[in-house]
C-alpha cells in the first residue's frame, strides 16, 4: 500500500555512501514504474526517502557528495532548481554526521526554548540522549519528539537579532540527527562495524553492556539488533 514517497530508507553506518547510492538507483526504478519524471523522483528521494548517519564527519561529507552527484546523474538541472519566486531551491539530502550534545551552552538552550515547556522538555531529552553520541553512533535510542514544533522554532530564530541566534541555529544538526535516530524505517541496509568487546573503549563497552547486554560480545551483533529496532 506504500507509494514511492512513503518508502523511508536508512544506512545507519553510511561510510562514504555506497549503499545510499545503490538505494538511489533502486528507488528510481520504483518511481519510474509509478510514472514519475526523473526530476520529480530525484526531488522526492532527496527530501523524503533517503537517510544516512555516520560518526565520522569526513565520511558523512563524502556520502553527502555521492548522493548529490547521483541526483545530478538523473536530473541534469538539479543544482539550478528554483522556487516559485525564482530563488535557488536545491533539496538537501538527510545525510548527517552524528552530533553530540556535550558542548551545548545552557544560555543558548534557554534562548531556543524561549520559555516554552514543550520545547524545553524536548531539548532537555535530546541533549541527555545525545551526550557522547560520537562514542556510540547509531546504536543510541532516541525518544520521539514534536519535530515540527522544533523546526518551527528554528524558522523563528532565523528572523531574530539575538546575541544567541547563531548558537541556537547550531542546534539544528543535533535535532536532525535526533529525528533520524528516533523515527522508524521501511528499509534499513548497512555494513555494520565489526569489533569485539576487547577492542572497545571503556565508554562504548559499558554502554553496550548496559543497553544491549544480550549482544555485548561484538559490535556487529549490537548493530544488527539496532537495525531491527529501526524498522517500522
Amino acid at each position: 500500500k506504500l507509494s514511492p514517497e512513503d518508502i523511508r530508507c536508512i544506512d545507519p553506518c553510511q561510510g562514504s555512501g555506497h549503499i545510499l547510492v545503490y538505494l538511489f538507483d533502486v528507488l528510481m526504478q520504483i518511481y519510474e514504474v509509478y510514472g514519475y519524471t526523473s526530476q520529480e523522483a530525484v526531488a522526492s528521494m532527496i527530501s523524503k526517502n533517503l537517510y544516512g548517519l555516520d560518526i565520522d564527519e569526513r565520511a558523512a561529507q563524502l556520502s553527502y557528495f555521492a548522493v548529490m552527484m547521483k541526483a545530478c546523474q538523473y536530473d541534469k538541472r538539479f543544482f539550478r532548481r528554483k522556487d516559485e519566486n525564482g530563488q535557488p531551491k536545491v533539496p538537501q539530502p538527510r545525510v548527517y554526521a552524528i552530533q553530540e550534545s556535550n558542548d551545548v551552552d545552557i544560555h543558548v538552550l534557554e534562548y531556543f526554548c524561549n520559555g516554552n515547556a514543550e520545547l524545553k522538555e524536548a531539548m532537555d531529552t535530546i541533549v541527555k540522549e545525545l551526550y557522547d553520541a560520537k562514542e556510540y553512533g547509531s546504536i543510541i535510542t532516541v525518544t520521539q519528539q514534536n519535530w515540527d514544533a522544533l523546526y518551527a522554532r528554528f524558522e523563528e530564530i532565523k528572523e531574530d537579532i539575538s546575541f544567541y541566534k547563531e548558537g541556537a541555529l547550531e542546534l539544528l544538526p543535533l535535532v536532525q540527527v535526533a529525528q533520524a535516530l528516533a523515527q522508524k524505517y521501511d528499509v534499513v541496509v548497512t555494513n555494520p562495524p565489526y569489533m569485539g568487546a576487547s577492542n572497545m573503549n571503556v565508554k562504548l563497552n559499558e554502554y553496550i553492556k548496559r543497553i544491549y547486554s544480550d549482544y555485548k560480545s561484538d559490535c556487529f551483533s549490537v548493530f544488527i539488533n539496532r537495525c531491527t529496532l529501526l524498522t517500522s
Side-chain angles (χ1 to χ4, degrees):
K1 295 182 180 180
L2 289 174
S3 72
E5 294 181 353
D6 296 328
I7 303 173
R8 191 184 290 164
C9 311
I10 188 170
D11 180 350
C13 318
Q14 66 186 351
S16 54
H18 294 82
I19 289 175
L20 291 176
V21 166
Y22 188 84
L23 281 169
F24 205 113
D25 288 332
V26 173
L27 286 164
M28 178 58 72
Q29 294 177 43
I30 295 173
Y31 272 97
E32 288 174 348
V33 168
Y34 276 77
Y36 287 74
T37 66
S38 294
Q39 177 187 335
E40 292 168 340
V42 166
S44 183
M45 269 190 278
I46 292 289
S47 59
K48 297 178 181 179
N49 296 125
L50 293 174
Y51 288 78
L53 293 168
D54 204 281
I55 58 173
D56 187 272
E57 297 278 348
R58 186 55 55 86
Q61 291 171 356
L62 289 170
S63 188
Y64 174 95
F65 176 78
V67 171
M68 293 298 266
M69 291 300 98
K70 201 66 178 176
C72 290
Q73 176 185 332
Y74 288 107
D75 180 4
K76 304 302 183 186
R77 296 180 55 82
F78 179 71
F79 285 122
R80 296 195 287 271
R81 295 298 169 197
K82 298 181 179 181
D83 62 19
E84 60 274 7
N85 298 317
Q87 298 299 313
K89 186 181 181 181
V90 179
Q92 294 299 300
R94 299 170 189 265
V95 172
Y96 309 123
I98 289 178
Q99 305 295 307
E100 57 186 15
S101 59
N102 300 37
D103 299 321
V104 171
D105 188 313
I106 188 171
H107 301 294
V108 169
L109 207 57
E110 289 176 354
Y111 161 73
F112 176 84
C113 297
N114 197 33
N116 184 305
E118 181 187 18
L119 292 180
K120 185 178 188 312
E121 182 179 357
M123 289 306 298
D124 284 349
T125 302
I126 290 171
V127 168
K128 179 182 178 181
E129 293 176 338
L130 291 187
Y131 194 85
D132 280 341
K134 284 192 175 293
E135 296 281 351
Y136 315 127
S138 298
I139 64 174
I140 295 175
T141 301
V142 176
T143 307
Q144 276 287 0
Q145 304 295 340
N146 184 346
W147 308 110
D148 290 340
L150 289 165
Y151 291 131
R153 178 57 180 152
F154 284 113
E155 290 302 315
E156 290 177 0
I157 291 171
K158 290 178 182 178
E159 307 301 324
D160 208 345
I161 56 173
S162 169
F163 173 78
Y164 295 111
K165 172 183 175 180
E166 294 304 319
L169 290 175
E170 290 177 2
L171 295 172
L172 178 59
L174 194 71
V175 172
Q176 290 172 326
V177 168
Q179 182 184 13
L181 287 168
Q183 65 191 6
K184 298 291 187 178
Y185 298 86
D186 302 292
V187 179
V188 182
V189 188
T190 195
N191 179 22
Y194 294 81
M195 182 190 297
S198 60
N199 291 317
M200 299 177 191
N201 63 41
V202 174
K203 284 184 178 180
L204 179 60
N205 205 327
E206 290 180 350
Y207 183 86
I208 287 176
K209 285 179 179 177
R210 187 172 76 254
I211 307 298
Y212 298 94
S213 59
D214 291 340
Y215 310 91
K216 62 185 178 182
S217 62
D218 194 286
C219 206
F220 162 81
S221 302
V222 174
F223 266 91
I224 293 301
N225 177 252
R226 178 63 177 135
C227 287
T228 65
L229 297 176
L230 282 169
T231 55
S232 55

